[in-house]
Amino acid sequence: MGLVLAIGLTLFTACGVDTPASSPSSPPPPGTTTVFTTLPQPNPTTSAPPSSAPQPPPSSQQPPKTGKVVVLDPGHNGGNSGRPGEINKQVPAGRGKTKPCNTTGTSTNSGYTEHAFTWDVSQRISQALVAKGIRVILTRQNDTGVGPCVNERAAIGNDAGADAVVSIHADGSNSAGAHGFHVAYSAPPLNAQQGEPSMRLATALRDGLRTGGFPTSTYLGANGLAPRADLGGLNLSTRPAALVECGNMRNAAEAAAMASEEGRQQYAAVIAKAIEDYLAAS
């Protein structure tokens, strides 16, 4: 699909998928679900998608509704770092455990943040899915708020009865040679939807990214898939759910792709296509 990353050699240590982050004034109430058919624009200084990002079709040309619902969960949030008291509070994380509400996420060595990357890519995925008649709900409305907490993010997908829940993240490993994407899913499963449906979703996302030219992780999981028992957002889900770590932001080649409009569009295109393929087969 065009963009094949030439990976040099350079996650988990910095991404903190289920650990703290921060926010601005008047963040949306926890657990609030917001459906975007025309998405609001985030703060342009932090994460606004470029003007060339795909736009939803005009209202007079809306595609037929498919009846499918997808919840997209852009990891972290831009205001998390300023509200440590909120994001460090302990919340349920499944399997009898608790974890911090959220984390700040990681960044490239040049300072491009994970929360900006996940917000931009999630908007692009949303626009692509909405254009196919799929209803999309985002777990946060902007890139300047705080949270929501991981348990609240899971509740959004559960309450929506989502056909698929996809969380978008990026890693920050300083391990030598660490690069590539992986897709996490809750294992061992705690309910029926965490079993075969979530495995199919994770596999569809893995296959889509690999077909799109993105290499699988060299440092976590196997063949691009990573069963996890410690991710609260996945443990608490009662819907088919998976978490995509798009790559390592500390790897020079992957950092360049994530920081570029072309790279973010390529990530979004292959993930959106993978979600469509999963829904079509469900």
Side-chain angles (χ1 to χ4, degrees):
M1 297 182 66
L3 180 67
V4 178
L5 299 183
I7 301 299
L9 297 179
T10 60
L11 155 116
F12 236 43
T13 55
C15 175
V17 195
D18 269 338
T19 31
S22 63
S23 164
S25 60
S26 302
T32 298
T33 65
T34 302
V35 180
F36 294 125
T37 53
T38 301
L39 295 170
Q41 296 302 304
N43 185 331
T45 63
T46 57
S47 60
S51 58
S52 60
Q55 297 299 315
S59 57
S60 61
Q61 302 176 27
Q62 288 293 329
K65 302 302 181 185
T66 65
K68 300 293 187 179
V69 178
V70 171
V71 169
L72 295 176
D73 178 32
H76 312 289
N77 207 332
N80 283 359
S81 61
R83 304 282 277 278
E86 292 184 41
I87 61 168
N88 287 319
K89 69 181 180 181
Q90 294 291 303
V91 299
R95 304 183 193 274
K97 307 291 186 181
T98 62
K99 297 193 81 169
C101 162
N102 207 233
T103 66
T104 56
T106 188
S107 67
T108 66
N109 291 334
S110 62
Y112 181 64
T113 62
E114 181 185 0
H115 65 77
F117 169 76
T118 66
W119 175 244
D120 184 295
V121 170
S122 293
Q123 287 189 100
R124 292 170 183 269
I125 297 169
S126 179
Q127 290 166 358
L129 296 178
V130 167
K132 296 297 181 69
I134 298 166
R135 180 184 177 211
V136 175
I137 297 172
L138 296 177
T139 59
R140 57 183 173 102
Q141 300 181 54
N142 54 49
D143 194 40
T144 55
V146 177
C149 297
V150 292
N151 60 319
E152 295 164 343
R153 292 176 188 244
I156 291 171
N158 296 343
D159 292 346
D163 295 284
V165 179
V166 179
S167 188
I168 305 299
H169 282 262
D171 271 334
S173 174
N174 289 313
S175 298
H179 69 271
F181 76 86
H182 67 271
V183 183
Y185 58 93
S186 185
L190 298 172
N191 55 58
Q193 294 300 312
Q194 288 181 15
E196 190 268 346
S198 291
M199 270 297 304
R200 283 196 298 106
L201 175 59
T203 301
L205 290 163
R206 186 275 309 274
D207 292 348
L209 281 158
R210 193 157 57 181
T211 298
F214 294 98
T216 55
S217 174
T218 60
Y219 61 103
L220 188 61
N223 297 317
L225 294 176
R228 298 286 299 274
D230 61 328
L231 301 181
L234 298 181
N235 287 338
L236 296 171
S237 181
T238 59
R239 308 305 304 162
L243 184 151
V244 182
E245 291 282 6
C246 292
N248 182 14
M249 297 190 94
R250 299 302 173 84
N251 172 269
E254 292 185 333
M258 292 180 193
S260 72
E261 177 184 347
E262 179 185 5
R264 293 192 299 273
Q265 181 57 36
Q266 181 68 2
Y267 276 113
V270 298
I271 292 172
K273 177 61 165 56
I275 294 172
E276 291 174 42
D277 290 345
Y278 169 79
L279 295 176
S282 297

